[in-house]
Amino acid sequence: MTSQTHDVVIIGAGAAGLMCAIEAARRGKSVILLDHAKKPAEKIRISGGGKCNFTHLKATPKNFLSHNEHFCISALKRFTPWDFLDRVVARGITYFEKTEGQLFCETSAGDIIDMLLDDLEEAGGELYLGVSIEGVTKTPDGFEIDTSNGVLLADKLVMATGGLSIPKMGATGLAYDIARQFGHSITETRAGLVPFTLGGDKLAAIEGLSGVSLNARVTCGKTSFDDGFLFTHRGLSGPSILQISSYWKPGQTLEINLRPDIDMLAHLQAKRKDRSKQTIGTVMAEVLPRRLSERLLEWHKVQPENRMAELSNATLQTLADAVNRWSFMPDGTEGYRTAEVTLGGIDTEGLSSQTLESLKCPGLYFIGECVDVTGWLGGYNFQWAWSSGWAAGQAV
Ligand code: FDA
């Protein structure tokens, strides 16, 4: 690294930082991209179970949580999921659509990383890994960045160090610290897209169910998600749970509908009328995984060998509620240790939605997950990283 002044220094070689570096370098800027990790883009590598769910073709602002729901519109419109897909296709990366619009690499997430690194090299951007940032100072002409490899001077500085999730992989709050240093406020941060934990009696009640999965509707307040639902040995996970975790606050109750496609009371009443000799154990196991159906009967002290004809209206109602309206309060979440994202972050009030430039300190930019824009599960978070990185890359 030289001590000459660079046009742009970007800190954080993840999805957003790489995209920004490529775009700025393609515009002829001298670009230095720094990361304290030994390898770039480690979150891309582990994402989507190693297959990187790199975008969602139907991404709209409603798929993002932010204190300003309009903030993400400009960047998402200017660099769309289709724009990223064009790059993937041009590179010859094969991909598949898991659910409608949700795109994954066919082979490996490494394909996306290789594409980004090759694009960066071709554009002339320089990447330095294993570099710690010791401080940033504003100078009359730009920024002085103190690093473990010496001092760097830059006209423009872009912070792309992501959020707090998975500290084991090197996540830090550096972007928030720099934002505060330059007068920005940070909206409350918390773990998102994260499994729930249960304790005490609630955990004991689901003991032995670990690994049981089904499709469920999970509701918190006015928000619901219909998707996979999984019992774990610590609590609950699966896509529907991860999604709702971003909307849940401690003390709130969740309602789980284990068969959103069946009106369970009507179903049980019909069975009692038409199949009066069937046992409730058989009837419940027809609609739920066996281990779960047995446990529900046990929780509600109903003998599985009871015939449908023997069951009272009150018992049918209890069992129907257990299936369609199971309500409980999680003890907490697994936190940043396993969260896919950090909710909250740098307050969008202090940023331009077009360029992601600080309104408080010209020449300073914040992109990607460190900003208070958080996507749902499904490729939305990478799309925000690509779009915000691209938008800043055009402006620096
Ligand atoms: P990102 O975290 O990617 O990059 C930040 C970079 O900054 C890192 O390289 C880090 O080392 C560096 N850094 C941090 N602190 C630093 C410091 N102090 N000094 C120097 N460098 C520093 N999203 C999605 O859309 N589809 C998916 O399939 C998945 N899957 C997924 C799985 C798992 C397990 C996780 C944890 C997350 C996902 N995500 C996801 C979310 C997605 O990974 C995330 O939103 C983006 O990586 C955010 O991109 P950024 O570039 O903003 O940060």
Side-chain angles (χ1 to χ4, degrees):
M1 291 196 296
T2 61
S3 57
Q4 78 198 53
T5 303
H6 303 277
D7 292 330
V8 189
V9 166
I10 301 167
I11 304 178
L18 277 161
M19 177 56 88
C20 181
I22 292 164
E23 290 308 307
R26 282 180 175 170
R27 290 175 47 240
K29 303 288 172 184
S30 60
V31 175
I32 299 273
L33 176 59
L34 305 174
D35 203 295
H36 67 169
K38 292 201 179 76
K39 288 183 181 171
E42 280 297 89
K43 280 199 185 157
I44 298 182
R45 194 174 304 285
I46 62 161
S47 66
K51 302 248 170 169
C52 185
N53 176 196
F54 55 83
T55 193
H56 199 297
L57 293 177
K58 301 212 159 154
T60 68
K62 89 167 183 34
N63 305 116
F64 293 86
L65 290 88
S66 171
H67 286 83
N68 176 358
E69 63 193 46
H70 304 296
F71 185 81
C72 61
I73 294 173
S74 171
L76 289 172
K77 259 197 182 158
R78 285 161 61 227
F79 188 81
T80 68
W82 294 96
D83 292 325
F84 192 78
L85 181 59
D86 282 348
R87 294 189 186 196
V88 168
V89 171
R91 171 80 178 191
I93 297 173
T94 50
Y95 66 92
F96 66 96
E97 194 167 0
K98 192 175 170 196
T99 61
E100 205 190 349
Q102 198 187 2
L103 304 188
F104 287 75
C105 294
E106 189 80 55
T107 311
S108 138
D111 288 348
I112 300 287
I113 302 176
D114 292 346
M115 173 180 80
L116 295 168
L117 292 177
D118 286 351
D119 284 354
L120 180 66
E121 195 183 341
E122 203 174 291
E126 294 175 53
L127 170 64
Y128 295 93
L129 298 167
V131 181
S132 318
I133 310 301
E134 277 146 26
V136 167
T137 321
K138 179 87 181 87
T139 65
D141 305 322
F143 298 88
E144 193 177 290
I145 301 117
D146 258 315
T147 80
S148 51
N149 288 19
V151 173
L152 278 175
L153 300 174
D155 287 343
K156 307 280 171 73
L157 173 64
V158 183
M159 293 305 302
T161 51
L164 298 169
S165 39
I166 326 267
K168 249 193 186 167
M169 287 183 68
T172 70
L174 182 65
Y176 309 136
D177 297 340
I178 301 289
R180 280 193 201 96
Q181 181 186 335
F182 289 98
H184 286 265
S185 47
I186 313 294
T187 65
E188 186 201 350
T189 54
R190 61 194 168 86
L193 300 181
V194 62
F196 283 116
T197 53
L198 299 176
D201 289 350
K202 280 180 267 181
L203 187 61
I206 64 159
E207 205 198 328
L209 292 180
S210 175
V212 171
S213 67
L214 67 162
N215 272 318
R217 176 174 302 149
V218 182
T219 303
C220 180
K222 290 184 177 148
T223 309
S224 296
F225 290 95
D226 282 38
D227 212 325
F229 176 92
L230 171 73
F231 290 91
T232 71
H233 58 278
R234 278 190 292 268
L236 301 171
S237 189
S240 60
I241 286 289
L242 299 184
Q243 297 279 35
I244 208 74
S245 72
S246 295
Y247 290 84
W248 179 81
K249 298 250 172 69
Q252 281 186 305
T253 299
L254 294 184
E255 191 173 283
I256 319 283
N257 186 343
L258 297 166
R259 280 306 298 254
D261 53 334
I262 294 182
D263 175 340
M264 200 56 195
L265 183 59
H267 180 76
L268 292 173
Q269 284 167 339
K271 285 283 182 182
R272 186 172 60 182
K273 187 158 167 270
D274 305 334
R275 295 270 185 279
S276 58
K277 288 192 178 146
Q278 248 186 344
T279 66
I280 183 65
T282 305
V283 171
M284 291 292 277
E286 281 168 359
V287 296
L288 293 176
R290 182 168 285 279
R291 267 197 282 164
L292 178 57
S293 66
E294 287 169 358
R295 190 59 59 88
L296 283 189
L297 292 173
E298 196 183 314
W299 287 346
H300 296 287
K301 300 187 174 50
V302 179
Q303 297 305 318
E305 51 282 354
N306 279 354
R307 308 250 165 225
M308 292 306 292
E310 300 165 35
L311 300 178
S312 66
N313 286 341
T315 302
L316 296 196
Q317 183 70 61
T318 301
L319 293 176
D321 286 348
V323 174
N324 287 147
R325 268 179 296 279
W326 172 27
S327 163
F328 69 94
M329 193 188 291
D331 289 64
T333 72
E334 292 189 3
Y336 291 122
R337 190 177 61 80
T338 62
E340 286 201 12
V341 286
T342 301
L343 291 152
I346 296 156
D347 194 337
T348 56
E349 274 215 338
L351 301 175
S352 154
S353 63
Q354 261 110 61
T355 62
L356 286 300
E357 187 174 11
S358 163
L359 302 175
K360 301 182 186 279
C361 174
L364 177 64
Y365 296 72
F366 295 92
I367 57 175
E369 196 180 317
C370 66
V371 178
D372 172 27
V373 173
T374 307
W376 287 3
L377 188 77
Y380 304 101
N381 284 297
F382 279 134
Q383 189 55 46
W384 169 245
W386 313 135
S387 297
S388 60
W390 184 92
Q394 307 309 309
V396 284

